[in-house]
Amino acid sequence: AERTRPALLAARGSLDGFTLCLPALVVLGDDEAARARAEQAIRGQIAFYASTPSYRAVLETHGWGELADRLAGLARRQAWTEMAAAIGDDVLDTFAVSGDPATVAARLRERFGELVGRISLYTPYPVDPALVAGVAGALRG
């Protein structure tokens, strides 16, 4: 809403004829242990993206420019575990949605329903296909 859409409008003048798509970071699991593994994977993914210079502006939008710098330094040292640990709950909750399928669907709709026309679930961890189908069904319903 604050970066991507204005940049697209500035470049194109209009988004008529385009469908904005979003790969949304989600934490899904059918029990507490599975959700904890999923959350760790998502923290690592956020840390990886946030360590690259092109994502610094996104972090600065939220007042986390210093975190971007710290993550970039950790990435140079290949300190992947430490990078994931640097992603606090506030950062996780800003860039990902968590919960059971119905909750994830509701949060995706609430955050992105007015901005994007298509959402895919970005799950860089093993996830039960039934949970993904549950989110898709709840989004369609």
Side-chain angles (χ1 to χ4, degrees):
E2 295 157 0
R3 294 281 181 173
T4 303
R5 191 173 180 86
L8 289 170
L9 286 170
R12 303 269 324 150
S14 167
L15 296 179
D16 291 343
F18 286 89
T19 299
L20 295 181
C21 302
L22 172 75
L25 293 162
V26 299
V27 175
L28 281 171
D30 49 11
D31 60 31
E32 193 62 37
R35 282 189 295 279
R37 287 189 300 274
E39 185 177 289
Q40 186 62 24
I42 294 294
R43 287 180 194 274
Q45 198 66 56
I46 292 169
F48 175 75
Y49 284 130
S51 73
T52 62
S54 58
Y55 282 85
R56 190 178 202 291
V58 175
L59 270 74
E60 285 177 341
T61 298
H62 300 281
W64 297 320
E66 189 174 293
L67 174 61
D69 296 338
R70 179 174 172 221
L71 291 167
L74 291 169
R76 283 191 291 279
R77 294 189 353 240
Q78 297 183 357
W80 312 120
T81 302
E82 195 174 338
M83 288 172 65
I87 302 302
D89 291 344
D90 54 343
V91 178
L92 177 72
D93 292 341
T94 297
F95 294 114
V97 294
S98 304
D100 61 45
T103 302
V104 166
R107 289 179 178 163
L108 289 172
R109 189 176 286 114
E110 179 182 300
R111 280 193 193 182
F112 306 115
E114 298 296 318
L115 297 172
V116 300
R118 184 172 294 201
I119 292 177
S120 61
L121 304 185
Y122 190 178
T123 56
Y125 54 88
V127 63
D128 182 345
L131 295 174
V132 174
V135 174
L139 282 171
R140 288 186 188 110

